[in-house]
Structure formats: structure tokens, C-alpha cells
Amino acid sequence: MPGAAPTVMGVGLARNRYLLLTAAVLPLVVGLGLLVAGQDRAAFFAFVAGTVPVLAVLVFDIARALGEGRFGLDLLAALSMATALAFGEPLAGNVVALMYAGGQQLERFAEGRARREMTALAARAPRSALLREGDTLREVPIGVLKGGDLIVVRQGDTIPADGRICGGPAVLDQSSLTGEAHPVRLEEGEEAPSGAVNVGGAFDVRVLRPADESTYAAIVRLVEAAAASRAPMARLADRYALGFLMVSLGLALAAAFLSGDPRRALAVLVVATPCPLILAVPVALMAGLSRAAKRGVLVKSGGALEKLAAVRALVIDKTGTLTHGRAQLQEIRAAPDFAPDEVLRLAAALDQASSHVVAAALVAAAKARGLALAVPEGVEEEGGVGVTGRVEGREVAVGGYAFVAARATGDGGAMRASLPAASAVVAVAIDGCFAGLLILADQVRDDAGEMVRALRAGGVDHIALASGDRVEAVEALGRSLDLDSWAGDLQPGGKVSHVTDARARAHARLASGTVMMVGDGVNDAPALAAADVGVALGARGAAASAEVADVVLLVDRLDRLAEAMAIARRALAIARQSVFVGIALSLVGMLAAAFGLLEPVAGALLQEAIDVAVILNALRVLIPGPGEG
């Protein structure tokens, strides 16, 4: 279907694809009826009437595209219709017009089907919320919600903004966010993500942040950006357009010249099929994006999907990525002049200002012990490394050992002896003196080993662990998962260097190779940006990491990453298959037309059959394949 590429029309007829289709169909039906009745001349004019309006819209489209610096294969459709009219073959022109107008509808169907899971996210976005004001309820636009507001979520409602459950418990369907089919039960005080649907009784939610800053709003923005993106592979097809056009025109002219029959040129033109180039690639890639979204993996663009399929090396963070990121305090080792609870209390008070997962664990541990936490002042955080500030007039530093040791006197080396291998250690300094170590344990995810095996089976041949945790803990985890390399005590810049080294090793082994970085915190953002493919754990990760990442895991499961890679590889394979097979069939049809084996009308019908087959093949991406859930 020549010309099925998306275009912007500026006239009334062009704005309504159904009118365009009707303008081609009705005259064709009338004309065929007149032919049967023996009214050849009237049928001739009916076919002309079915061709001219569509040709006029198409010429307008082509002129507009050229004015915007875009070139496409719509020109073949225009040439086919114009040539048919010039050669007195309006029936062939009307059939091509029908194929073009029908192609617009087929395109809309195919892309709509491919985008289904992605557009469903935006379609489910709530527009209003039920605000509780004292004893009254008032329905308000979600744009007016702010932190601290209390809203009522009724059964069947979508939570409009991130908040905490009040008057729970709540039973939520989070499938639109995570792909998980089973409802989740949240207790009072737990955080409820925007976008989840209430499938239980009504409950209240205390809003944490405005709706436009919520999890769901961010996801919808990412989805819209992904849907509007064009993949490098799709852009590459544009470069083939001129070559395909030249081949088609050359073959048409040669057929007419060598045979002495100008109708053969017309037959070649109407069978020329640009759809494998125009639609097969974007439909297959959009279907891949949609399929990944359904499994809880948001790939931000078609380009990212292509890179995901080519990953050969992986660099992965430890805390909150390979581990649950819900570390629990196991032991406090305090310096002689400091009480253990005092070390924890001051450290946790300062960490209230940090978004790091370990900081949250310290705050929870302090509250569990009944320790009162003052509000910190003058807080300065070095992402992923440490935090400094004042608590009750005292200078406090909390973070990695090197970070704290550089800001304190005293030797904490003795306290670091005989630490559990897999533990995470937080150092604390108070008023410039080394005050102690807080030792936490963070369990390795159950699916970490499965993810590693699945990634290796999918072609990833080097997996490295890069973490800010101490070397002993990182080494213990790396050995237990049989990783290829590991490094600990890294600052954010060190993780970036690790990504660069992994890329150099991949290129040395394979002459090319894409490097993926997986992380979940602010300290991972530079490394995510430096990698060819950055993957953020968005189910619980920091906004900064999700913002720079190419892929966001919406579900708290690492095995979905291997699934997303399998989806990406299959989407690209089907896109290439559609292009090569479609173009091959088109060339065979064009050669048959050049040798007089196909009449113009039969060529146009063959062209449409090839187009439909190619698009249906591209939509196979939506069907789960090997390695996909």
C-alpha cells in the first residue's frame, strides 16, 4: 500500500481517512456495476471520479512532506494513479486509489494494535479525584491535588496521585504498572502508587506529591515519548526509499521501452510495494515496545529496543538491584566515647533527608527502637556516597567508610574486622570524630541467579558487579552468582569507568558490543547515562535514575529484564524478515509485470495482498515467543 506512512493532511477530505476511503470505494462499486450493465463510457468516468480526489490529496501530502524535508514512497502511488489516467486505464487507477486509502486504515489498525498496551496506560489515567474536606467530599481535577491532601479512592477508581494508605487495608490491581495479574494487599501506612486500581473496599489516601509529579504521570510521559519516537532501523528505511523508487522507475521504463507496450510500465508501478519499508519496521518495533510494557518493562524508544536486542555486556549495581534494597540493621559498633543508640539516632535523623534505600533502613530501625529523630539542618548529599549536616547542633556525617573517614579523626579500622561477608556497612562521624559503624544485612533477590542464567543464555557474555559497598561484600555476592568481575567501594565516577571498561572489553572480543547498566539509585544515574542501555528499577528507584535510563523496570522483578531482551531480539528479527520477504515478493511481482504476466489491475491487487501479509507478520511480535512470559 504505497503511501501508508503517517502524514499530516491540511484539507477537509484528508483529515478524515474514512471519507478518503469512501471517495475511492463508491465510484469503484458504481463503475463496476456500470461495466456489468454495458455502460463502458459511464464506468470510465466513474473510475476517474474514484481516482482524482485521492490523487489530489496524495499530491498535497507529497508537497507538504517535501516542504518539511521528508521524502517517502508515496510518490509511487501518485505516479501509478497519474499514469493510469494518462494511459486511459482509470480502473487500475481507482484500484490503486482504493489500496492507498485502505492502506491508511490498515496502518491505523496495525499501529493501534501494536500500541495497545502502551496507549492503555494513558487511557486509564484518572482525570478527577474525590477530595475529603472535613466531613464533606468534593470532586476536583487531579491537577489541583497537592501534598497532604486526603482523597477517597472508591472501588474501581484509579489512584490519581502517589500517597499513603489511610483507613486501610487496600487491595490494589497494579497490572497496568507492573504486569502482575494478582491483586496486592497494602496495609495502612504503606505507600500506594498512582495508577493502581482499587479492587477492594473504599479507603483514604494521604497525597504525597502533586499528581503531575507522581509515578503514573511520569510513566505516561515516558510512554508518550516512546510512542512518538522513531528507531534508527525505521529511519534507515527512509534511506532505502530513493533507491527503491529508482529501481521501480527504471524497471517500469525498461519494460515499456523493450516491449513497446506502455501498459507494462503501469503494471510495474502499481505492483511496486513500499510497505515493507514504510510500515513493517515501525509496526514490529511498536509491537515490541507494547509487548515489553505488558510485561512491566517500559522501553522508552524504538532505538532503545534495538540496543536492548544487541546487549553483550552487563554492569549491575548491588544494593536495591541484586539485593532487595530493604536492608535491616543487624549490629551497631560504636566507638568508646559514643553510645550505640546515640550513633543510630543521629545517623537516622540526618538520613531522613536522603532518598537512598540504606538511609530508609536506618530511619526504620531507629523508629523501631523508639528513638526520637530531630529534623536535620544544612544537609548536603553527595549522591550515593554520603550525607553531611547538623542534627541538634551537632555535625554529623553518614556514608561509606572512605567518605566518613575523610571527615573525621579517629581510627575505625579495628571496628571493620570480622564483618559478615555479605553485609552492608555505614560509617558515622559526629562532631568530626569517628563514632561507629552500622552493619546491615540485605538479602539477595531470589530471582538474581535466574536472571544471570537467562541473560547468559540470551547472549550476554560478560556480567560485572559495580557497587559502592565494601569490597568483601561485593566479592562474596559476585562469587555466589558466578559473575565475571566485581568491584566495590566505588563512587559514581567509578561506576562510569566500569561501564567504559566493559564497552572496551566487548569491542575487543566482538569488534562491537552494546553495554547495559542496571541500577536503582541517584548514584547510578551517571553510569546509566554512560551505558549504551541504561536500566532503572522504577518500581522503587530514584527519579533521577529513571529519568536518564533507556529502560525502566516497573515491576520489582529482575527476570523481566531477560524477557525484555528476548522481546527486543524477536521484534527486530520479525521486522527484518518482513522487510526482506516483502521487498523480495514485490520485486518478483514487478518482474512478472515487466514481462507482461500481470495486468495493471491484477498487479494492484497483488500489491495489497503483499502489504497485508507483511503487516500481519509484523504484528506477530505481540504473540509471546520463546523466553517471553
Side-chain angles (χ1 to χ4, degrees):
M1 120 218 14
T7 52
V8 179
M9 312 248 183
V11 294
L13 183 61
R15 287 174 183 165
N16 192 314
R17 309 283 182 172
Y18 291 103
L19 282 180
L20 191 64
L21 183 59
T22 302
V25 170
L26 287 181
L28 180 61
V29 172
V30 171
L32 291 174
L34 290 170
L35 276 181
V36 171
Q39 302 293 320
D40 293 359
R41 184 169 179 78
F44 181 95
F45 287 109
F47 296 142
V48 170
T51 306
V52 171
V54 179
L55 178 58
V57 168
L58 185 51
V59 169
F60 177 86
D61 250 357
I62 293 170
R64 188 185 185 101
L66 290 174
E68 296 173 353
R70 295 183 289 109
F71 174 80
L73 289 170
D74 287 355
L75 187 57
L76 277 175
L79 284 174
S80 298
M81 284 184 262
T83 304
L85 293 177
F87 288 177
E89 294 276 356
L91 174 57
N94 200 166
V95 171
V96 173
L98 174 61
M99 298 310 168
Y100 171 79
Q104 304 294 314
Q105 298 303 321
L106 183 57
E107 173 199 0
R108 287 163 63 101
F109 165 77
E111 288 212 338
R113 181 72 176 82
R115 295 170 186 255
R116 184 179 61 180
E117 297 302 330
M118 300 183 72
T119 54
L121 283 170
R124 285 191 290 263
R127 301 289 185 268
S128 62
L130 200 59
L131 180 65
R132 187 183 292 278
E133 297 176 320
D135 295 330
T136 64
L137 298 176
R138 182 166 62 96
E139 189 164 357
V140 298
I142 64 169
V144 307
L145 294 180
K146 59 185 183 300
D149 283 347
L150 190 64
I151 58 175
V152 177
V153 181
R154 298 162 296 192
Q155 186 176 46
D157 284 353
T158 299
I159 300 178
D162 297 336
R164 294 196 181 278
I165 303 294
C166 299
V171 182
L172 303 179
D173 175 5
Q174 302 186 81
S175 58
S176 62
L177 299 174
T178 67
E180 294 288 352
H182 302 293
V184 176
R185 179 186 173 93
L186 298 181
E187 301 297 334
E188 183 165 356
E190 291 191 84
E191 185 168 339
S194 54
V197 178
N198 178 19
V199 294
F203 58 88
D204 291 353
V205 168
R206 181 71 66 182
V207 175
L208 292 176
R209 57 190 67 89
D212 61 355
E213 298 176 13
S214 68
T215 302
Y216 196 61
I219 290 171
V220 169
R221 285 194 295 270
L222 294 176
V223 164
E224 290 171 346
S229 72
R230 298 194 68 203
M233 187 176 178
R235 289 194 298 267
L236 185 63
D238 293 342
R239 292 206 288 251
Y240 294 144
L242 182 59
F244 189 87
L245 177 62
M246 293 298 100
V247 169
S248 301
L249 292 177
L251 188 57
L253 292 174
F257 178 77
L258 294 176
S259 68
D261 181 3
R263 293 177 73 256
R264 292 197 183 182
L266 174 60
V268 170
L269 289 177
V270 298
V271 83
T273 310
C275 262
L277 283 176
I278 291 177
L279 274 186
V281 171
V283 167
L285 296 185
M286 186 57 65
L289 295 178
S290 186
R291 177 87 187 111
K294 185 174 184 179
R295 299 301 294 160
V297 183
L298 180 59
V299 184
K300 291 186 180 179
S301 68
L305 192 77
E306 288 188 42
K307 291 179 181 179
L308 192 62
V311 168
R312 294 295 177 267
L314 168 68
V315 178
I316 191 165
D317 179 44
K318 172 180 173 287
T319 304
T321 305
L322 284 176
T323 62
H324 286 288
R326 294 189 288 269
Q328 294 184 328
L329 182 66
Q330 302 294 309
E331 182 184 355
I332 302 174
R333 297 186 181 182
D337 295 334
F338 296 91
D341 276 1
E342 186 71 357
V343 173
L344 173 60
R345 186 178 70 83
L346 293 176
L350 180 61
D351 264 348
Q352 291 177 107
S354 173
S355 62
H356 197 281
V357 291
V358 172
L362 293 182
V363 172
K367 289 181 176 179
R369 296 187 179 205
L371 302 177
L373 303 182
V375 177
E377 299 175 341
V379 178
E380 294 183 7
E381 182 168 7
E382 189 172 331
V385 180
V387 187
T388 60
R390 293 185 303 279
V391 178
E392 298 175 344
R394 307 184 72 176
E395 296 292 334
V396 181
V398 180
Y401 183 82
F403 175 84
V404 172
R407 292 161 175 76
T409 59
D411 183 14
M415 283 185 278
R416 300 182 77 194
S418 303
L419 288 171
S423 62
V425 177
V426 176
V428 183
I430 300 173
D431 291 331
C433 298
F434 196 91
L437 299 177
L438 305 173
I439 303 168
L440 303 97
D442 190 4
Q443 295 298 315
V444 178
R445 291 172 178 268
D446 296 334
D447 59 349
E450 181 182 345
M451 180 205 68
V452 170
R453 290 188 293 273
L455 289 176
R456 291 197 189 281
V460 179
D461 57 11
H462 185 86
I463 302 178
L465 175 59
S467 175
D469 285 351
R470 60 194 184 86
V471 173
E472 296 86 354
V474 173
E475 181 179 1
L477 181 57
R479 290 188 184 280
S480 69
L481 294 176
D482 194 26
L483 304 184
D484 298 295
S485 64
W486 47 81
D489 285 332
L490 293 178
Q491 295 190 7
K495 293 184 180 182
V496 173
S497 298
H498 225 66
V499 169
T500 304
D501 292 344
R503 183 181 291 111
R505 284 194 297 269
H507 280 268
R509 291 192 312 275
L510 306 170
S512 65
T514 301
V515 176
M516 178 167 64
M517 168 70 193
V518 183
D520 82 320
V522 175
N523 58 318
D524 298 318
L528 292 172
D532 298 303
V533 181
V535 181
L537 272 67
R540 194 184 58 252
S545 59
E547 206 55 43
V548 302
D550 304 290
V551 180
V552 181
L553 285 178
L554 303 178
V555 58
D556 201 17
R557 289 179 53 177
L558 288 177
D559 58 338
R560 294 291 173 85
L561 184 57
E563 276 191 44
M565 290 180 61
I567 290 170
R569 288 192 298 269
R570 185 163 173 267
L572 262 66
I574 289 177
R576 293 189 181 99
Q577 180 191 77
S578 297
V579 168
F580 296 145
V581 172
I583 292 299
L585 290 174
S586 298
L587 289 174
V588 170
M590 290 162 65
L591 288 171
F595 283 100
L597 302 177
L598 278 177
E599 291 295 314
V601 174
L605 294 174
L606 175 64
Q607 171 254 103
E608 182 66 8
I610 294 172
D611 292 347
V612 172
V614 163
I615 291 175
L616 292 178
N617 185 63
L619 286 174
R620 286 195 303 118
V621 176
L622 294 173
I623 302 171
E628 303 175 28

